[in-house]
């Protein structure tokens, strides 16, 4: 009987130790990603892609553009760069939309600023006649003048998912996760806010709660944010993979820390 008790106790101790070791290493095992979930479907994207998607949505909101304009921007950015701010491309193309300095889009430095590049894209799109009713890929081609404009059509479903999430039309649609930093990081909430306002503007920032919340979650790793809270739910960096969870202190405005 004594042997059995010892075996049971040892087994319990091993299980307890293994469980807590697993919980400590879980953030590292999960890596870093973002999940975008809407009624249109689900996308698994990396954090840079989420940051670009959030920025493009913010610029669109500042310009008071319809969601369809945002979808056109997304099919373009996915095809051209996979939603990445590339420092290279075909010939002299750079950035999210692979715009070319030699064709008057701006300098290399300017075009590697996603806010600037997005503004230039939308300024060109707004000059396309009937862009609101054109098929997404035709509108994208009218701006980009790509060698194969039909390729943009492959990304329409992804664009619809992203636009529903990053406009905030679908609440709680975006959550990201990543391992904790090796050393404690001081949250840069004010720096993050200034960058958000640069893309979104002050006026829209007060009206687009879930767009703002998604932007902060996408940029949380970059600015060392620990939590984002809004409308009775909260996302935390420590449990990012779990998504948005009930908040004990509901707030009617987006709070970050």
């Amino acid at each position: 009987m004594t042997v059995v008790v010892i075996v049971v106790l040892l087994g319990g101790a091993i299980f307890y130790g293994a469980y807590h070791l697993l919980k400590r290493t879980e953030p590292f095992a999960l890596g870093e990603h973002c999940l975008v979930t809407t009624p249109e479907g689900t996308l698994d994207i990396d954090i840079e892609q989420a940051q670009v998607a959030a920025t493009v949505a913010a610029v669109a909101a500042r310009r008071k553009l319809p969601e369809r304009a945002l979808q056109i921007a997304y099919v373009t950015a996915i095809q051209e760069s996979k939603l990445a701010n590339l420092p290279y491309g075909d010939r002299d193309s750079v950035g999210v939309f692979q715009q070319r300095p030699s064709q008057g889009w701006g300098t290399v430095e300017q075009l590697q600023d996603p806010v600037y590049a997005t503004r230039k894209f939308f300024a060109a799109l707004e000059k396309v006649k009937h862009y609101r009713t054109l098929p997404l890929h035709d509108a994208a081609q009218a701006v980009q003048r790509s060698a194969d404009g039909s390729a943009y059509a492959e990304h329409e479903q992804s664009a619809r998912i992203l636009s529903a999430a990053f406009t905030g039309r679908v609440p709680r649609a975006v959550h990201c996760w990543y391992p904790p930093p090796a050393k404690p990081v001081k949250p840069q909430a004010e720096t993050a806010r200034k960058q958000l306002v640069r893309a979104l503007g002050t006026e829209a920032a007060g009206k687009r709660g879930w767009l703002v919340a998604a932007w902060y979650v996408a940029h949380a790793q970059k600015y060392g944010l620990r939590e984002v809270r809004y409308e009775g739910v909260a996302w935390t960096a420590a449990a990012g993979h779990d998504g948005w969870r009930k908040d004990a202190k509901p707030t009617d405005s987006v709070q970050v820390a």
Side-chain angles (χ1 to χ4, degrees), residues 49-256:
Q49 290 174 314
Q51 290 173 354
V52 169
T55 297
V56 175
V59 174
R62 181 171 192 161
R63 299 176 77 94
K64 299 181 180 178
L65 294 174
E67 191 171 332
R68 189 165 186 82
L70 179 57
Q71 293 170 357
I72 294 166
Y74 282 150
V75 298
T76 305
I78 295 170
Q79 175 62 28
E80 298 293 348
S81 69
K82 293 184 171 62
L83 283 175
N85 189 21
L86 299 178
Y88 57 85
D90 179 46
R91 287 171 281 189
D92 60 335
S93 300
V94 294
V96 173
F97 297 98
Q98 288 291 279
Q99 295 149 323
R100 298 180 61 189
S102 63
Q103 294 188 349
W105 287 96
T107 67
V108 171
E109 183 180 6
Q110 288 173 325
L111 295 175
Q112 287 201 267
D113 171 5
V115 173
Y116 176 91
T118 303
R119 288 173 181 166
K120 295 294 284 188
F121 178 87
F122 283 134
L125 177 64
E126 289 174 289
K127 295 176 182 177
V128 175
K129 192 174 182 180
H130 305 310
Y131 81 85
R132 295 169 184 251
T133 56
L134 284 174
L136 296 182
H137 63 279
D138 286 342
Q141 174 64 358
V143 174
Q144 297 294 103
R145 304 181 187 277
S146 173
D148 181 13
S150 63
Y152 298 116
E154 300 174 11
H155 311 298
E156 292 187 7
Q157 179 66 12
S158 294
R160 284 193 287 269
I161 295 169
L162 292 171
S163 68
F166 285 100
T167 59
R169 178 164 60 81
V170 176
R172 305 185 298 276
V174 181
H175 68 274
C176 302
W177 61 93
Y178 43 87
K183 296 180 180 179
V185 175
K186 182 180 179 180
Q188 302 175 58
E190 181 58 20
T191 301
R193 187 194 68 79
K194 288 179 180 178
Q195 290 304 310
L196 169 65
V197 170
R198 178 172 175 261
L200 182 58
T202 305
E203 180 184 353
K207 301 176 181 178
R208 305 297 294 268
W210 278 109
L211 183 155
V212 170
W215 189 96
Y216 276 126
V217 168
H219 289 82
Q221 183 184 44
K222 181 176 182 178
Y223 296 109
L225 305 179
R226 295 188 296 262
E227 66 177 15
V228 180
R229 301 168 48 231
Y230 185 50
E231 288 193 338
V233 290
W235 169 91
T236 64
H241 192 271
D242 296 333
W244 294 87
R245 299 189 294 184
K246 187 174 181 180
D247 188 6
K249 300 177 181 178
T251 173
D252 59 2
S253 62
V254 180
Q255 304 291 319
V256 298

